[in-house]
Amino acid sequence: MTALLLFASISAGYARPIIPSDSTLATLSGFVHDSTSGESLIGATVRVRSLKIGAITNKSGFFTLHVPSGVKVLVEVISLGYRTDSELVKLAPDEHARRSFMLLPQSIHGEDITIESDLEKERQEPQVSRVSVNPRQVQQLPNAGQADLFRILQLLPGVQTTSEISSGLYIRGGSPDQNLILLDGTVLYNPSHFFGFFSTFNPDAIKDVELIKGGFPAEYGGRLSAVLNVTDIDGDRNQTKGKVSVGLISSSATLETPVGTGAVVLSGRRTYLDAVMNLAGLSASLGLPGYYFYDLNAKITQNPSPNDKVTLSGYLGSDNLNYATATAANSFSVNWGNKSGSGEWTHVFGSELFTKLDLGASSFTSNFTIGNSAQPFTWINGITDYTGRFSVEYFPEQEHTVKAGLQASEYHTTLKIQSGNNPPNANIDVAPFYGAAYVQDEWKPDIPGAAPNPFAITTGLRVDGISSNSQIGIDPRISARYILDPAITLKASWGIYHQYLKLASNPLIPVFDVWTPTDSIQPPEKAYQYVLGVSTIPFEGYSLDVEGYYKDMKNLVEMKPNVRSGGSLEDVLFVGNGESYGVEFFLQKQVGRLTGWLGYTLAWTWRTFPDINNGNPFPPTYDRRNDFDLVATYVLNDRWTLGMTFTYGTGQAYTQITALAPNVEDPARTVPIEGAKNDLRLPPYDRLDLSATYSFGFFSDKRNAEFNINIFNAYNYRNVWISQVDDTTNPYTTTYVRLLPILPTFGLAVSF
């Protein structure tokens, strides 16, 4: 009897159905939401445990699951931080049923509550090098006066930084421009504030953070190293609520309210040290520069029908620094910022086809001016990006998930170096067109005699190009995983990647990032990536991931020193190659009172440029041989949460002065002679940060407020930033310029 449900074995606490071989399939699809706010849940697992089949919700919370018809199966829905929901489902042959699951939020720390973590999902994920960050964890870990996403990401294995005052992400030997950074699907080109001390992401507005450190699939392109995909909250569809955070450096506010068939979110943040200093009269008396930054986020989401979702979102951020000196010729100002806006429409056709249309614009500009108003010297650079994307996800059967898409972008890049009203010394202004198409398939074949789907493979192909260069990028990519047993999973990937936008930075002007497209002379950057790893569950509640990687990079660029003129990329950029390789260890605990991770990276990164270091390989500044990070959060009781981060790393590379030569123009002075590029190392870097968060009721019976205390650099060890040489003495003297001392801060956040 086809519809007969036989109980033959017990699996995971309930009877496991034996499905007749002639049973046809039915399709169950739908969305998973937070029951209190109506937010869609990204990355939730929808599974039939007894059959060992499941699906993961996409960025819109949508899933499709193919189940046997004619028998009752227990469908479970699991997401970290939520109570597990389940429903018995019995579908007719070839039926296409729609279900919406509403999950109840629940603390992931309480020992008396059983919460399933994401460890099983991550272990079975075919994609290598993928890390998900809980936005709540960003808030609870130590910070330097402002919770910051990039500070947390820098504590992951394989992610490096140059110093504690830089928010740049150097991932597996790649520079920050090799990372595709997306906010609600729109590219951000310089996501930093305060000369890199903070990132542009407002932690109160973040819903989901996905980092792919390497081997990313064909749906992502235009970068060599990694993908950071940040999604902001859609807003509460059931009630108006908000949050105000006040700290020593900045304050922020977020408001969510239901509107129509969806919600609106408004969020803003601003520093106010400039206002405090001016009010106290300290800026003038101490000769301090005036500085502030702000950012604004806005998002509106509507559901005109059960199958449609429309989202409009925007971002505006700006940094402003002005420094007036007694000598007008030495006064300067620096202004930089990002703007972005996007519209997204998703539509579900039936139960097996999910489509998305994205239209977006993004702009980054930087302006550096030095000198008096009559004859200033100005550096101006910027990039504007207008992009349209169309993508489909097709779920024809349980074994296959197909994705395909098209992208069209128009870039407008500018670089102008000018003295007063004179004609520009350098003036590069180009507006190329970029196009791309991709297709990929995630295949989970049934292997006779084995548990369903122990093997999964994702194959993909991306084809792209830019109008300023005739070369077409053909990028095949493949990643796979094989579950050896319930506790061990093997993963591997290989792929080719092209990058058509080049970034060169002037080390003397931290925000002067020059984005230029490849031209007819200089080919696009290219990389070959190889990743091999193993994911294990060494004991209950813990996961251990070990990954080795190798990356071969071609046509990288470095800005030529002291550039003041030029009309092409050849005039301002050196071209060379690079390689990076290493191994990463990542031990993670996601549930219980104690959560966090321990990460260790052993890595090598090299660059080879014919015009630099006599053509010999050299490590870039951010190369660190050893990097160790410990991150922990402990729920002491229902009011207190403690946080700790510790990091240790090999000192960064630098170039040593080896001798002094007479200055031809001024015989009384000398000129330093440099040795091999980045041949020496600064002292090792280490720092301990601590935090404590106290929850209480602020004019409310509910615990709607948190007071946090943070101690940055708890044992007051001032790490070395740079090695500075005084060449006015003979012999010359070398001193270390050191970074921040111990820095205690506090803040208050109130929700309403």
Side-chain angles (χ1 to χ4, degrees):
M1 294 190 305
T2 303
L4 182 63
L5 178 60
L6 299 177
F7 294 91
S9 64
I10 301 297
S11 176
Y14 58 87
R16 176 179 180 179
I18 296 179
I19 308 302
S21 60
D22 61 346
S23 175
T24 58
L25 294 178
T27 303
L28 178 69
S29 64
F31 293 86
V32 180
H33 297 276
D34 181 305
S35 63
T36 59
S37 67
E39 282 272 3
S40 58
L41 296 183
I42 300 171
T45 300
V46 183
R47 71 182 183 186
V48 179
R49 191 200 302 252
S50 60
L51 301 179
K52 297 185 179 179
I53 59 174
I56 307 297
T57 58
N58 64 13
K59 293 295 182 182
S60 296
F62 179 78
F63 72 92
T64 293
L65 190 65
H66 297 274
V67 299
S69 62
V71 296
K72 288 183 179 180
V73 293
L74 185 66
V75 178
E76 294 179 307
V77 184
I78 301 163
S79 186
L80 182 64
Y82 291 85
R83 289 184 182 273
T84 298
D85 192 15
S86 61
E87 181 180 339
L88 277 171
V89 175
K90 181 179 179 181
L91 303 180
D94 298 320
E95 180 181 355
H96 293 259
R98 181 68 60 86
R99 294 285 193 280
S100 289
F101 292 91
M102 310 297 289
L103 301 190
L104 181 66
Q106 177 64 59
S107 169
I108 65 175
H109 301 293
E111 297 288 1
D112 56 337
I113 300 294
T114 300
I115 301 292
E116 295 202 47
S117 73
D118 286 343
L119 300 182
E120 179 182 349
K121 181 191 73 176
E122 294 172 357
R123 189 173 58 85
Q124 296 190 14
E125 173 68 52
Q127 174 62 49
V128 302
S129 308
R130 186 193 301 269
V131 179
S132 295
V133 177
N134 187 343
R136 176 63 178 166
Q137 200 165 26
V138 177
Q139 302 276 9
Q140 292 182 327
L141 287 173
N143 59 73
Q146 173 73 55
D148 188 75
L149 172 62
F150 276 25
R151 295 293 167 190
I152 302 303
L153 297 178
Q154 289 169 356
L155 296 170
L156 294 171
V159 183
Q160 314 291 341
T161 184
T162 54
S163 72
E164 61 203 39
I165 61 172
S166 169
S167 66
L169 301 179
Y170 298 84
I171 300 177
R172 291 183 174 176
S175 52
D177 64 298
Q178 295 177 5
N179 306 322
L180 179 64
I181 299 178
L182 301 169
L183 176 62
D184 284 332
T186 302
V187 177
L188 292 184
Y189 285 92
N190 188 314
S192 66
H193 286 309
F194 204 2
F195 294 98
F197 198 80
F198 299 117
S199 70
T200 58
F201 298 103
N202 187 336
D204 291 336
I206 295 175
K207 172 182 176 179
D208 180 72
V209 179
E210 176 190 38
L211 175 66
I212 308 177
K213 296 184 293 182
F216 47 91
E219 61 184 298
Y220 299 109
R223 298 294 188 273
L224 298 189
S225 290
V227 175
L228 176 63
N229 197 351
V230 179
T231 305
D232 276 349
I233 56 178
D234 290 339
D236 197 310
R237 295 166 176 253
N238 300 322
Q239 61 180 336
T240 298
K241 66 180 184 182
K243 182 178 182 181
V244 176
S245 301
V246 180
L248 289 180
I249 295 176
S250 67
S251 291
S252 63
T254 301
L255 177 67
E256 308 172 42
T257 186
V259 172
T261 58
V264 169
V265 181
L266 300 174
S267 184
R269 177 176 55 164
R270 193 194 192 278
T271 57
Y272 38 68
L273 280 178
D274 59 322
V276 173
M277 291 294 184
N278 289 333
L279 186 64
L282 295 177
S283 294
S285 62
L286 298 178
L288 298 176
Y291 171 79
Y292 68 92
F293 76 75
Y294 68 85
D295 45 34
L296 302 170
N297 298 78
K299 189 173 184 179
I300 180 170
T301 304
Q302 295 289 290
N303 288 89
S305 79
N307 292 324
D308 292 276
K309 179 181 177 182
V310 178
T311 302
L312 300 176
S313 59
Y315 170 81
L316 174 64
S318 179
D319 288 66
N320 299 271
L321 173 68
N322 294 281
Y323 186 52
T325 64
T327 305
N330 295 329
S331 299
F332 66 88
S333 66
V334 188
N335 304 282
W336 72 97
N338 291 276
K339 294 183 291 186
S340 71
S342 64
E344 179 183 285
W345 172 38
T346 62
H347 180 75
V348 180
F349 291 91
S351 58
E352 298 178 344
L353 185 62
F354 181 91
T355 64
K356 182 168 66 171
L357 174 66
D358 285 295
L359 300 175
S362 180
S363 174
F364 167 75
T365 57
S366 174
N367 188 317
F368 175 82
T369 301
I370 186 171
N372 57 52
S373 58
Q375 194 70 16
F377 191 80
T378 305
W379 299 58
I380 301 173
N381 67 290
I383 180 170
T384 302
D385 173 351
Y386 300 98
T387 294
R389 297 186 184 90
F390 177 74
S391 62
V392 299
E393 293 181 63
Y394 179 48
F395 311 91
E397 55 189 27
Q398 195 61 38
E399 293 184 3
H400 289 275
T401 299
V402 179
K403 294 183 180 181
L406 300 171
Q407 176 181 339
S409 300
E410 183 184 48
Y411 304 122
H412 184 198
T413 63
T414 58
L415 168 61
K416 183 182 291 186
I417 305 174
Q418 188 172 11
S419 177
N421 295 321
N422 299 319
N425 303 61
N427 192 4
I428 300 176
D429 191 325
V430 292
F433 175 84
Y434 169 83
Y438 71 88
V439 61
Q440 65 187 54
D441 178 29
E442 181 181 313
W443 178 40
K444 298 179 180 178
D446 282 330
I447 299 178
N453 301 333
F455 179 70
I457 182 170
T458 300
T459 56
L461 177 67
R462 186 180 183 92
V463 179
D464 58 6
I466 197 167
S467 61
S468 56
N469 186 282
S470 60
Q471 182 173 332
I472 300 297
I474 300 177
D475 298 349
R477 300 173 191 178
I478 183 171
S479 61
R481 66 107 167 104
Y482 187 80
I483 302 176
L484 288 178
D485 61 46
I488 301 177
T489 301
L490 301 179
K491 294 185 178 183
S493 78
W494 171 85
I496 299 176
Y497 302 81
H498 281 86
Q499 181 165 332
Y500 299 88
L501 293 175
K502 299 172 180 282
L503 176 72
S505 299
N506 189 324
L508 300 179
I509 312 173
V511 297
F512 194 72
D513 292 339
V514 180
W515 288 93
T516 56
T518 186
D519 59 16
S520 59
I521 299 176
Q522 292 190 353
E525 297 181 345
K526 185 178 183 180
Y528 300 86
Q529 289 195 32
Y530 308 82
V531 182
L532 181 64
V534 58
S535 179
T536 69
I537 301 177
F539 25 85
E540 186 177 358
Y542 290 81
S543 68
L544 174 63
D545 294 275
V546 181
E547 286 192 352
Y549 66 90
Y550 176 79
K551 184 162 50 180
D552 183 17
M553 296 168 282
K554 308 294 185 183
N555 309 317
L556 305 180
V557 296
E558 292 271 353
M559 179 174 278
K560 294 181 179 180
N562 303 317
V563 172
R564 286 177 172 262
S565 63
S568 68
L569 297 187
E570 277 194 310
D571 297 327
V572 298
L573 302 176
F574 290 130
V575 179
N577 299 323
E579 65 174 347
S580 61
Y581 46 90
V583 59
E584 302 166 2
F585 300 85
F586 188 41
L587 179 66
Q588 188 177 16
K589 186 176 186 293
Q590 290 185 340
V591 296
R593 291 189 179 275
L594 176 65
T595 59
W597 66 81
L598 186 154
Y600 172 71
T601 304
L602 176 65
W604 289 261
T605 301
W606 301 98
R607 297 288 186 266
T608 306
F609 285 71
D611 299 302
I612 301 176
N613 202 43
N614 297 318
N616 297 316
F618 62 91
T621 301
Y622 51 85
D623 172 63
R624 292 187 187 275
R625 191 71 61 245
N626 299 279
D627 186 58
F628 173 86
D629 297 293
L630 177 61
V631 176
T633 301
Y634 183 71
V635 180
L636 187 63
N637 52 45
D638 59 351
R639 288 186 178 272
W640 284 99
T641 300
L642 307 179
M644 182 271 289
T645 62
F646 174 77
T647 183
Y648 173 89
T650 302
Q652 67 184 37
Y654 76 101
T655 303
Q656 176 65 50
I657 302 299
T658 58
L660 297 176
N663 189 321
V664 177
E665 298 179 356
D666 184 1
R669 296 178 59 86
T670 57
V671 176
I673 305 298
E674 294 183 342
K677 186 173 178 63
N678 291 343
D679 194 43
L680 296 181
R681 295 277 176 174
L682 295 176
Y685 183 96
D686 63 279
R687 193 183 79 242
L688 173 68
D689 300 335
L690 302 172
S691 69
T693 302
Y694 178 72
S695 301
F696 63 99
F698 187 81
F699 295 107
S700 172
D701 294 333
K702 299 180 180 179
R703 291 183 186 171
N704 63 336
E706 291 183 343
F707 179 75
N708 60 77
I709 302 172
N710 295 275
I711 303 178
F712 179 86
N713 193 9
Y715 50 75
N716 197 31
Y717 175 68
R718 299 187 64 182
N719 287 283
V720 176
W721 181 27
I722 57 175
S723 174
Q724 194 174 55
V725 173
D726 183 359
D727 62 348
T728 62
T729 62
N730 197 357
Y732 62 86
T733 56
T734 302
T735 58
Y736 287 146
V737 178
R738 295 189 176 270
L739 290 163
L740 299 174
I742 185 172
L743 182 63
T745 62
F746 60 86
L748 174 68
V750 180
S751 300
F752 57 89

